[in-house]
Amino acid sequence: MNEWNLDEFSSFIENKSTGFVYFYTPLCGTCQLASRMLQIIEQMVDTKMGKMNLNFYPDIGKNYSIESVPCLMFINDGQVVEMLYAFRSVPYLLEKIKEHLT
């Protein structure tokens, strides 16, 4: 999963894209586990996914009311449709992602 900057995120939204953005912070242990889970899932699905270190983009956190990290933002046609904070397991996360791809 590629690290996105503000321009890439803004372009993703403005172009009415569909996919996922993973928000994390590097010192968050749960985020490290969630990152590994997403790396596995990324090999199983064909969709646009990016990740962003929320420490560098506090305005995104405020604008989208991100409550905590890890956070997986589901975006459909440039609109945020869901925010996921509890990743639980790879199978659970895969099912959530597949729900948004259909």
Side-chain angles (χ1 to χ4, degrees):
M1 188 173 357
N2 293 328
E3 187 78 30
W4 285 3
N5 60 36
L6 186 56
D7 290 337
E8 291 168 309
F9 177 77
S10 297
S11 175
F12 189 75
I13 298 294
E14 290 168 9
N15 291 331
K16 299 188 184 303
S17 300
T18 296
F20 310 92
V21 183
Y22 169 61
F23 293 95
Y24 71 97
T25 58
L27 298 179
C28 164
T30 307
C31 294
Q32 293 173 12
L33 177 60
S35 290
R36 283 191 225 102
M37 293 167 71
L38 287 170
Q39 287 172 348
I40 293 167
I41 290 170
E42 186 176 30
Q43 304 302 316
M44 304 167 90
V45 296
D46 182 28
T47 188
K48 295 180 185 176
M49 294 178 79
K51 65 180 182 176
M52 297 181 76
N53 179 344
L54 200 57
N55 287 335
F56 295 129
Y57 306 103
D59 288 343
I60 291 177
K62 289 177 190 172
N63 293 342
Y64 289 94
S65 302
I66 296 175
E67 298 171 6
S68 64
V69 289
C71 174
L72 186 62
M73 181 184 285
F74 296 83
I75 301 171
N76 190 354
D77 295 326
Q79 298 294 315
V80 176
V81 293
E82 186 177 351
M83 308 273 263
L84 182 70
Y85 298 99
F87 286 44
R88 299 184 190 173
S89 66
V90 171
Y92 171 79
L93 194 52
L94 182 59
E95 281 304 309
K96 289 297 286 183
I97 288 172
K98 284 182 176 179
E99 285 175 18
H100 289 279
L101 293 177
T102 57

